[in-house]
Amino acid sequence: KSLTSAEDFAKARLYGLDKSRLGFIRDAYSQIETTLILVYDVLPWLWGTSGKLLARWFGKGEEYEILHSLLFLALLTYGSQIIHLPWDLYSTFVVEERHGFNKQTLALYFSDMLKSSALTAVIGAPVVAAFLWIIQWAGTGFAFYVWLFVFFFQLFLLTIYPTVIQPLFNKFTPLPEGTLKTKIDALAARIKFPLTKIFVIDGSKRSSHSNAYFFGFFKNKRIVLFDTLLEQSSEEEVLGVLAHEIGHWQFNHVMQMLAIIQFHLFVMFYTFQYFIDHTPLYRSFGFQTQPILIGFLLFNYLYAPLDTLMSFAQNLISRKNEFQADNFAQKLGYSEVLKSGLIKLHVKNKGNLNPDGWYSAWHYSHPPLVERLRALGEKRD
């Protein structure tokens, strides 16, 4: 049986080709850009420029390393944002627009960008300052303290993001009373999922892509449904998708991945301890001084191969978790509606229905659709 029509398959193929071409060109540009930055000592120049601006604007010298680092990072971050703006505009207003996904206006796009930039400054600056201060305070054995700080910051961000940050960009509306809400409440009660609220988010004002997720700690779980999901799927298919998402809760996948990320971060910070005072690292990239922030940025270039391997390992675990969540939904009796819901989501989102096995094994955090459907068709314990 065919998963989709020849017309829909062709549309998905063209969308994939457009994204792949843009991604290839963008990656090539980024590689050339990074090479030029390193060869022509752009980072040392920017560090020196930020130091001069620090002295001119604030009357401070190089002894104020944290303030110097924040100004350097601001110039680097917002300068990079401006340089890469054409790529983002082309992706949104040409590629996504061409294939019927983009729903946002230029005004909304730039409004989102300004909000994101402001949040980066308000939240990011204190975090970076604390990160640098902890390293200065702890000395060469800073890894555990830095990791602990980052861990608690992540928990804080996970707490405030859905209730404080995301509402700045999207409107959350309680799911109205009706058959769908009744069915979701019944599903939650059946498996003792501690559901407290169900929201619908206005994702359609930016894109016609669809999604669903839950958030909240302990006994305060909340489900969020994209309005596009409700438009594109039947009530039973929505229940199938939610049964899959609740499967992640049942098997503690969120906490598992959080623990893996913590291990990843600790390994990175622990390794950085051995490079932070390594003078040849700084000299090789044109720096005559050894600021902590610069050391961390340069270290990340060296750490990239190991980071790639660890990300691949995370993808392997993530794909295993997706199969496990699908199996959970299957045991609840949602196998058929989950399959039809997954097919419909892939068709509506013009996803790659059957990508190359080697490519998906390396890049995908979710199994390809065909593999998931095949697994759902099997009876498993």
Side-chain angles (χ1 to χ4, degrees):
K1 181 181 177 181
S2 175
L3 295 179
T4 183
S5 67
E7 181 183 1
D8 285 336
F9 182 83
K11 289 179 179 178
R13 177 179 172 275
L14 291 174
Y15 178 54
L17 286 172
D18 273 356
K19 289 200 302 179
S20 296
R21 290 191 192 100
L22 178 60
F24 177 80
I25 296 171
R26 192 169 185 171
D27 287 346
Y29 169 82
S30 295
Q31 185 62 57
I32 294 171
E33 179 188 64
T34 301
T35 301
L36 292 175
I37 287 173
L38 296 178
V39 169
Y40 290 98
D41 290 338
V42 174
L43 293 178
W45 171 83
L46 189 60
W47 179 261
T49 300
S50 59
K52 293 175 183 177
L53 293 175
L54 182 68
R56 182 183 304 172
W57 293 346
F58 303 102
K60 305 294 185 181
E62 291 186 0
E63 65 274 14
Y64 291 88
E65 183 183 326
I66 293 178
L67 189 58
H68 189 171
S69 298
L70 291 177
L71 184 55
F72 166 83
L73 194 58
L75 294 176
L76 182 65
T77 301
Y78 295 121
S80 178
Q81 186 177 47
I82 293 171
I83 291 172
H84 291 95
L85 181 61
W87 295 107
D88 295 329
L89 288 171
Y90 186 86
S91 175
T92 301
F93 293 98
V94 177
V95 175
E96 296 293 306
E97 184 84 28
R98 179 185 297 155
H99 295 278
F101 289 119
N102 178 52
K103 302 298 179 184
Q104 61 183 320
T105 62
L106 274 171
L108 180 59
Y109 177 90
F110 282 106
S111 172
D112 284 349
M113 187 177 73
L114 290 174
K115 289 178 184 177
S116 298
S117 299
L119 284 169
T120 299
V122 171
I123 297 176
V127 170
V128 173
F131 173 83
L132 298 175
W133 181 85
I134 290 171
I135 294 177
Q136 289 180 341
W137 167 78
T140 55
F142 63 81
F144 173 76
Y145 301 101
V146 169
W147 166 78
L148 195 64
F149 165 72
V150 172
F151 172 64
F152 280 109
F153 172 70
Q154 286 179 326
L155 293 181
F156 170 72
L157 205 58
L158 286 171
T159 302
I160 69 167
Y161 179 79
T163 55
V164 178
I165 297 177
Q166 192 166 11
L168 296 174
F169 300 90
N170 292 96
K171 181 180 179 181
F172 287 77
T173 305
L175 181 68
E177 295 294 333
T179 56
L180 178 58
K181 186 175 185 302
T182 300
K183 291 176 182 177
I184 294 175
D185 287 335
L187 171 62
R190 175 184 170 190
I191 55 179
K192 298 181 181 180
F193 179 70
L195 177 63
T196 55
K197 294 181 181 179
I198 309 171
F199 294 104
V200 178
I201 190 174
D202 59 340
S204 59
K205 76 176 185 178
R206 289 180 177 81
S207 172
S208 58
H209 289 296
S210 52
N211 200 1
Y213 63 91
F214 70 86
F215 66 91
F217 292 107
F218 308 114
K219 300 296 183 180
N220 185 29
K221 303 295 184 183
R222 304 179 184 188
I223 287 176
V224 177
L225 305 170
F226 278 55
D227 55 358
T228 47
L229 177 67
L230 299 181
E231 293 170 5
Q232 297 169 3
S233 307
S234 69
E235 289 187 357
E236 292 303 318
E237 288 167 345
V238 171
L239 286 173
V241 171
L242 287 180
H244 166 89
E245 293 300 327
I246 293 174
H248 288 303
W249 163 79
Q250 178 70 24
F251 295 107
N252 290 313
H253 289 161
V254 175
M255 298 306 296
Q256 179 195 84
M257 293 306 294
L258 183 62
I260 292 170
I261 290 171
Q262 300 318 306
F263 173 75
H264 188 171
L265 287 172
F266 185 79
V267 169
M268 180 176 65
F269 294 141
Y270 184 81
T271 309
F272 178 46
Q273 284 184 158
Y274 294 94
F275 287 86
I276 189 170
D277 292 324
H278 189 59
T279 301
L281 172 67
Y282 299 85
R283 300 295 182 269
S284 297
F285 288 92
F287 286 90
Q288 300 307 309
T289 56
Q290 299 181 192
I292 295 170
L293 178 64
I294 296 301
F296 188 63
L297 292 177
L298 298 180
F299 166 75
N300 274 274
Y301 287 123
L302 305 180
Y303 188 75
L306 180 58
D307 186 67
T308 299
L309 291 176
M310 297 189 74
S311 296
F312 172 64
Q314 287 180 227
N315 282 344
L316 290 177
I317 296 170
S318 175
R319 284 197 294 274
K320 176 190 72 69
N321 290 348
E322 291 301 317
F323 283 124
Q324 195 172 30
D326 282 349
N327 188 35
F328 178 79
Q330 182 184 43
K331 288 181 177 179
L332 291 177
Y334 291 102
S335 178
E336 293 304 316
V337 293
L338 178 57
K339 286 194 287 186
S340 63
L342 289 173
I343 293 171
K344 190 174 291 185
L345 287 174
H346 272 72
V347 171
K348 294 292 184 181
N349 289 296
K350 298 180 180 177
N352 191 337
L353 296 174
N354 192 22
D356 176 77
W358 288 104
Y359 182 87
S360 63
W362 182 260
H363 292 280
Y364 286 14
S365 62
H366 284 53
L369 175 63
V370 172
E371 292 182 20
R372 294 179 70 178
L373 295 179
R374 186 181 300 120
L376 282 168
E378 300 172 354
K379 292 184 178 180
R380 295 183 291 170
D381 295 330

